[in-house]
Amino acid sequence: MSTHVAIIGAGLSGLALALSLHQQRIPCTIYEARSAPLNIGGAIMLSPNALRILDTLGVYNRIRPEAYSFDNLYFRSPADTPLDTYEFGNAAKYGYSGMRIYRHVLIRELSAMVSEAGIPIHYHKKFSRVITETESNITWEFEDGTTSTATCLVGADGIHSKVRKYLYPDLEPKFMNAMAVTAAVPTSQLAIPEGYNIPVTIMNKTHGAFVIAPQLRDGSEVLIGRQKRSAQLDREGWTKLMNDKDWCVEFLREGADEFPEIVQRAVSNISAEKINLWPFYMVPKLEKWSSEHCRVVILGDAAHAIPPSAGQGINQAFEDVFTYALVLARCEGQKGGLERGLKVWQRGRQERVDRVLALNAQIDKRRMPKAVTAGEEKEEEEEEKGFELGWLYKPDFEAMVEEWLAWE
Ligand SMILES: Cc1cc2nc3c(=O)[nH]c(=O)nc-3n(C[C@H](O)[C@H](O)[C@H](O)COP(=O)(O)OP(=O)(O)OC[C@H]3O[C@@H](n4cnc5c(N)ncnc54)[C@H](O)[C@@H]3O)c2cc1C
Ligand SMILES: *[C@@H]1O[C@H](CO)[C@@H](O)[C@H](O)[C@H]1NC(C)=O
Ligand SMILES: *[C@@H]1O[C@H](CO)[C@@H](O)[C@H](O)[C@H]1NC(C)=O
Ligand SMILES: *[C@@H]1O[C@H](CO)[C@@H](O)[C@H](O)[C@H]1NC(C)=O
């Protein structure tokens, strides 16, 4: 049997993986549980590391005309004075500006390209369990009772991954005790003052951070959102809450009169159909992302869903799929090659994910309101330097994979 990869999930990871494998001339098939890829809604932020991959795959030029382009995320104090800036892109430094793009646009273009490449997508096919794994193939079952065999099975099935159950039967994603509610409103409603930089996060430890981020090519719409601590609910509970639009609007408005006026204007008129709710879960660090005979692999949110502070969730998923395709192309078919390849792939990927997690923690710390204490000057000096983000935004992924494969 020649190499054929079965991809479980037609989300952003699964679709980008199909295009990455196609570029490496590795045949694949996608299986998706739903009637269409899951569109959680809203816009997402893409940073230069992911944009470089999307450019290599030919996707970048197709989504760019519909994206809002920006370089910095701005942070303001509870009193609405500028606090600091976090770089999310820069064409001169990293090759690309940051981008905010509707998820459905990205899904639409990726799906179209998958179809143009002749890669089959089977909808209404829900993976249920692995039946057997041998040294050269994997056989699994769908919920409709049918079975299938391939040389590799990749779980790109998101944070509540079913494929992950084969590797970790008892593992559940961990709730981070926080959630966000977002909505979209016309930018004009905010009457943004001259010189007031967006995208912006207005910090307030009591009421939770408030985010304003433009979207659509011309920035005529903004996402508004608020992040707060929250008790855990089950999946039905979250769905019920998300569908309770009055509750969501109340969540966004709570204590708004104590926030700066721009926030009050932002929440003054919210239309129900543009509301979204995002409970923050993470997958604890996993020892292995692949099975004994390397026939099963998990990636994207299934392997390492990460908290949102550095905006890297999806961006890291794109790195997973692109480097996995490179490793597979180099190693599959060589005796013991894939086992070694996947080992260094996971080690290399985990190192980058760990750096992102450290960055998340650093950003969260920096966003705390400053206490006026002695020693503050030193801290300020450090902060002035800002983050050095070349390692994150400007990698050469082909060279990175070569380096991994050269590891002992
Ligand atoms: C409201 C919200 C806003 C977000 N905003 C951002 C953002 O701005 N930036 C960012 O980086 N991240 C953001 N995230 C996180 C981001 O959505 C995830 O990191 C990303 O979707 C992961 O992509 P994925 O393809 O790995 O998984 P998913 O997008 O979850 O896709 C998994 C796919 O697999 C399918 N599937 C699941 N189980 C099965 C099965 N058993 N058989 C077959 N198919 C199956 C699903 O239907 C789905 O289509 C946000 C998340 C939420 C909920
Ligand atoms: C799967 O692998 C086993 C063991 O290598 C082999 O006997 C079998 O023929 C393979 N099945 C398919 C469908 O290729
Ligand atoms: C949050 O905002 C309110 C209203 O502006 C303010 O009274 C309070 O001090 C802020 N809390 C923090 C921790 O900054
Ligand atoms: C609220 O917004 C909707 C849609 O943007 C608009 O049609 C409506 O006129 C607005 N209402 C008020 C009171 O501004």
Side-chain angles (χ1 to χ4, degrees):
M1 175 174 200
S2 59
T3 303
H4 191 104
V5 179
I7 301 170
I8 305 298
L12 296 178
S13 298
L15 293 167
L17 174 59
L19 295 178
S20 302
L21 290 169
H22 183 73
Q23 194 168 66
Q24 300 301 319
R25 297 171 199 284
I26 300 173
C28 62
T29 302
I30 306 180
Y31 300 94
E32 165 60 48
R34 296 163 193 266
S35 56
L38 175 63
N39 173 20
I40 305 167
I44 53 174
M45 294 198 299
L46 299 175
S47 51
N49 44 331
L51 291 171
R52 181 167 295 110
I53 289 170
L54 293 176
D55 205 1
T56 309
L57 296 175
V59 184
Y60 178 73
N61 286 329
R62 295 174 65 144
I63 59 173
R64 199 159 107 130
E66 289 172 75
Y68 179 80
S69 179
F70 69 100
D71 282 345
N72 294 315
L73 299 172
Y74 297 91
F75 292 88
R76 297 178 81 91
S77 72
D80 208 18
T81 57
L83 205 59
D84 68 14
T85 304
Y86 177 75
E87 212 174 22
F88 205 78
N90 183 321
K93 264 163 93 175
Y94 310 123
Y96 303 88
S97 284
M99 182 186 268
R100 273 181 63 79
I101 181 97
Y102 264 104
R103 190 188 294 255
H104 71 81
V105 171
L106 195 47
I107 286 175
R108 186 192 73 212
E109 288 306 318
L110 287 170
S111 301
M113 291 184 74
V114 162
S115 154
E116 285 158 25
I119 301 165
I121 306 188
H122 301 289
Y123 294 104
H124 299 293
K125 278 303 225 184
K126 186 166 186 182
F127 167 91
S128 82
R129 67 184 178 106
V130 167
I131 296 175
T132 49
E133 177 175 7
T134 73
E135 275 177 21
S136 54
N137 61 45
I138 180 88
T139 302
W140 70 96
E141 187 177 28
F142 293 103
E143 252 179 25
D144 60 12
T146 58
T147 63
S148 198
T149 299
T151 39
C152 301
L153 176 79
V154 179
D157 51 345
I159 189 153
H160 301 287
S161 171
K162 225 22 185 302
V163 176
R164 190 177 58 224
K165 291 271 175 216
Y166 176 58
L167 304 176
Y168 293 94
D170 302 319
L171 185 122
E172 294 296 335
K174 188 168 158 263
F175 186 56
M176 304 293 293
N177 299 315
M179 60 170 278
V181 172
T182 64
V185 300
T187 307
S188 55
Q189 180 176 315
L190 276 66
I192 297 171
E194 187 92 22
Y196 193 100
N197 291 320
I198 51 173
V200 67
T201 302
I202 301 165
M203 311 306 302
N204 186 304
K205 297 275 284 168
T206 318
H207 294 297
F210 196 95
V211 177
I212 299 169
Q215 48 208 26
L216 299 178
R217 181 192 174 84
D218 59 0
S220 57
E221 182 179 273
V222 284
L223 168 134
I224 57 170
R226 193 151 168 189
Q227 188 178 320
K228 270 197 244 184
R229 298 204 148 267
S230 156
Q232 183 167 14
L233 299 175
D234 58 14
R235 283 170 91 174
E236 280 134 54
W238 289 125
T239 307
K240 217 176 127 210
L241 209 53
M242 163 131 55
N243 290 329
D244 187 348
K245 301 300 178 192
D246 292 339
W247 185 90
C248 290
V249 169
E250 197 39 52
F251 180 95
L252 284 165
R253 283 189 177 151
E254 198 196 326
D257 50 349
E258 289 184 22
F259 267 97
E261 276 172 27
I262 192 167
V263 172
Q264 296 172 33
R265 291 193 291 270
V267 299
S268 64
N269 185 8
I270 299 170
S271 71
E273 66 270 22
K274 297 207 166 157
I275 289 173
N276 224 322
L277 183 143
W278 183 8
F280 297 151
Y281 282 87
M282 85 177 277
V283 173
K285 191 164 170 173
L286 302 178
E287 234 168 83
K288 49 181 201 247
W289 296 357
S290 54
S291 60
E292 190 190 347
H293 296 301
C294 304
R295 299 297 126 203
V296 179
V297 163
I298 49 173
L299 42 66
D301 266 20
H304 56 61
I306 44 185
S309 315
Q312 280 294 314
I314 288 167
N315 296 290
Q316 288 303 306
F318 285 136
E319 290 194 11
D320 286 351
V321 304
F322 190 71
T323 54
Y324 169 75
L326 290 176
V327 166
L328 193 62
R330 284 283 307 272
C331 300
E332 173 65 356
Q334 302 165 22
K335 186 133 182 65
L338 188 56
E339 189 178 354
R340 217 186 137 266
L342 290 184
K343 210 167 161 182
V344 295
W345 170 70
Q346 182 182 342
R347 192 179 127 197
R349 288 296 306 130
Q350 186 71 58
E351 275 179 11
R352 276 180 71 78
V353 169
D354 284 347
R355 282 186 86 171
V356 168
L357 290 173
L359 186 63
N360 270 342
Q362 211 180 337
I363 291 167
D364 289 344
K365 193 166 154 236
R366 230 162 92 120
R367 287 177 189 177
M368 305 260 188
K370 279 180 219 159
V372 186
T373 51
E376 191 185 16
E377 266 164 52
K378 181 169 174 282
E379 203 175 295
E380 293 229 335
E381 210 173 276
E382 265 170 38
E383 290 192 3
E384 284 309 309
K385 275 190 269 165
F387 296 106
E388 196 290 299
L389 293 168
W391 67 269
L392 178 59
Y393 293 150
K394 218 190 167 188
D396 174 341
F397 292 104
E398 276 90 0
M400 187 186 284
V401 166
E402 289 309 317
E403 196 183 304
W404 294 346
L405 292 170
W407 279 345
E408 274 312 308

